[in-house]
């Protein structure tokens, strides 16, 4: 950087012999007052200023659901960063760690960015640089064009002669076109004296301060034209660069997302007065403010967020097993139903509330959260919908992936991703949210992920769910080997598993289920439970007893009646919401009406 700055001032030195009138035009001591010394202090922190601006941008999004994300990189932020770069720090070596101009500075060490003395012929030149800063200006005529100016204040003295003070201004024009970002040299001036581009490039080539090949070698994408001092970044090149790493499928997905943003003209970049502006049309990506994860997942939250003590997988699987037993007894079915609520709670608990997928940052006294809030499944007869809710502070974006069932057998189901939408709200038309049409990148990412908890994504990104993976869900709550899964299917709202009981234990299960029917139709189990549970107050205990009374009435009316499985499910939805003590009372009431040795053998053989 220092070599580059000296090169700039060689321009000044080489015209020392021109008439004094021209030197007068070059002189510009008044602009020294424009050096932004008000930003310079020991605790200067450009990143803090940057995060404050991000916070302001997000606050505007929170206040207005229709607002776009408008981020302004103010010239004060960049000038603070330049000041920090000059001084250096723990991780970087600066030009002058003592640089701190201001009222308290009275020595050269803090007054100047650097000083340099060198000989030119028989003359000694003293160069002093008191400041480097930038300014941003909009073009008054072209809305897609603006200017970034690098200002270098300098004083130079030849021998013991007069000291000249001037400001060198290198002005670059930035444009955001439909296909490219272009930053090109506009003009160079010393004081009020302009210089041609050709003269400037000649000096750069002469000093070797800028080497075209070296610049391009250090650009990840884009081209640099030394003759015209123009840097061009093709927007298409950005996504191509992201796709270069074939071993990183996530980058391919990001590239696809970048293409969508550019194709829909959602990102606008430009230079305005005093700020570099980035406008991101997030309205297509964001959802309504009330969009949230399923309310039942908040059952796993305490005052501080996700609480692992709020969910007991073993207890929930035991509840589902009790529902299976009552279904066999009352509906004469051998289907174990794992509803999507329980499934998603297990998923949420397994990933510990997805806390590792979120981060928080303190910005200007408030906490800003960024990341994945949750991922959950919705089950339908012929498709699975996978939903993921992301948030940046209060801005929420829901990604919805629909996968159609493309192959089925009693032991294997396959689902292929057919549609991915981002930011879709109920009732919106297609132009109000994003649709990812090229699914290849997304499928490659799924293939790379592989494991999908209750299935796996194969090399084509197809979700394969097999019976062995589902049997792993029975590691909790049910004794090993007592039951097995013979077949399964995914239906609306649940996974249904056809269960087989170990042949040596069939008589125990039959005896226990017969005892349940007998307890209801002959022994008034519903009445006994009404005396034991809280049926005065609204709540799951009252709901369970009322549902059980309906079932009991049906059995008394027809002892061979087959109860609707939905009634059994409703009963155990309420049962699942009871306290562990109330659940124990519920089961003990039935078991107290059965043969004691049967109950003991059943518990030993089936309950974990």
């Amino acid at each position: 950087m220092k070599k580059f700055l000296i090169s700039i001032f060689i321009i000044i030195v080489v015209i020392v012999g021109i008439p004094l009138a021209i030197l007068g035009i070059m002189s510009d001591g008044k602009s020294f007052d424009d050096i932004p010394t008000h930003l310079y202090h020991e605790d200067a922190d450009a990143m803090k200023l940057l995060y404050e601006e991000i916070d302001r941008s997000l606050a505007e999004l929170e206040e207005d659901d229709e607002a776009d994300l408008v981020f302004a990189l103010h010239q004060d932020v960049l000038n603070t960063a330049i000041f920090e770069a000059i001084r250096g720090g723990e991780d970087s070596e600066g030009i002058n760690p003592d640089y701190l101009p201001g009222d308290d500075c009275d020595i050269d060490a803090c007054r100047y960015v650097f000083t340099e003395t060198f000989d030119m012929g028989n003359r000694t030149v003293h160069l002093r640089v008191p400041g480097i800063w930038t300014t941003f200006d909009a073009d008054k005529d072209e809305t897609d064009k603006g200017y970034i100016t690098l200002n270098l204040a300098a004083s130079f003295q030849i021998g013991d002669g007069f000291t000249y003070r001037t400001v060198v201004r290198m002005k670059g024009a930035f444009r955001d076109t439909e296909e490219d970002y272009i930053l090109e040299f506009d003009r160079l001036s010393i004081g009020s004296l302009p210089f041609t581009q050709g003269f400037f490039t000649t000096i750069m080539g002469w000093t070797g301060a800028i080497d075209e090949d070296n610049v391009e070698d250090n650009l990840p994408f884009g081209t640099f034209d030394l003759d015209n001092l123009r840097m061009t970044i093709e927007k298409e090149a950005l996504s191509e660069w992201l796709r270069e790493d074939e071993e990183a499928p996530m980058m391919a997905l990001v590239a696809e997302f970048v293409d969508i943003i550019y194709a829909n003209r959602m990102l606008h970049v430009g230079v305005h007065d005093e700020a570099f502006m980035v406008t991101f049309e997030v309205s297509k990506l964001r959802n309504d403010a009330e969009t949230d994860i399923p309310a039942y997942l908040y059952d796993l939250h305490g005052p501080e967020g996700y609480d692992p003590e709020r969910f007991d997988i073993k207890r929930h699987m035991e509840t589902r097993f009790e529902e299976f037993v009552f279904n066999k007894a009352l509906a004469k079915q051998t289907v174990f139903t794992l509803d999507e609520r329980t499934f998603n709670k297990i998923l949420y608990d397994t990933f510990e509330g997805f806390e590792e997928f979120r981060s928080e940052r303190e910005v200007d006294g408030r906490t800003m959260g960024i990341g994945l809030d949750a991922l959950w499944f919705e089950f339908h007869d012929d498709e699975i919908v996978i939903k993921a809710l992301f948030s940046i502070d209060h801005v929420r974006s829901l990604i919805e992936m629909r996968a159609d069932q493309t192959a089925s057998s009693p032991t294997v189901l396959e689902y292929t991703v057919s549609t991915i939408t981002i930011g879709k709200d109920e009732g919106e038309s297609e132009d109000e949210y994003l649709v990812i049409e090229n699914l290849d990148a997304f499928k490659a990412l799924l293939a790379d992920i592989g494991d999908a908890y209750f299935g796996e994504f194969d090399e084509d990104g197809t979700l394969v769910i097999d019976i062995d993976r589902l049997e792993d869900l029975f590691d909790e709550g049910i004794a090993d080997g007592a039951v097995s899964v013979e077949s399964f299917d995914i239906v609306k709202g649940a996974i249904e598993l056809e269960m087989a009981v170990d042949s040596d234990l069939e008589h125990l299960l039959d005896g226990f289920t017969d005892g349940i029917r007998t307890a209801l139709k002959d022994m008034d189990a519903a009445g006994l439970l009404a005396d034991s549970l809280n049926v005065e107050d609204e709540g799951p205990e009252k709901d369970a007893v009322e549902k059980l009374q309906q079932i009991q009435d049906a059995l008394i009316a027809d002892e061979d009646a087959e109860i609707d499985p939905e009634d059994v499910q409703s009963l155990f939805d309420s049962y699942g919401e009871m306290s562990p003590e109330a659940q124990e009372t519920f089961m003990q009431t039935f078991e107290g009406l059965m043969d004691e040795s049967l109950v003991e053998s059943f518990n030993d053989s089936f309950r974990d």
Side-chain angles (χ1 to χ4, degrees), residues 422-458:
I422 304 175
K424 182 180 179 181
D425 286 309
E426 191 71 29
E428 282 191 332
S429 58
E430 286 192 5
D431 62 341
E432 295 180 286
Y433 58 88
L434 277 187
V435 178
I436 298 180
E437 297 179 349
N438 182 359
L439 301 177
D440 291 341
F442 197 86
K443 290 178 180 179
L445 176 64
L446 295 178
D448 186 62
I449 291 172
D451 184 65
Y453 179 59
F454 70 120
E456 64 178 355
F457 292 103
D458 67 13

Side-chain angles (χ1 to χ4, degrees), residues 460-471:
D460 297 321
T462 298
L463 176 60
V464 180
I465 305 171
D466 66 64
I467 205 166
D468 293 333
R469 296 294 292 267
L470 291 173
E471 280 197 332

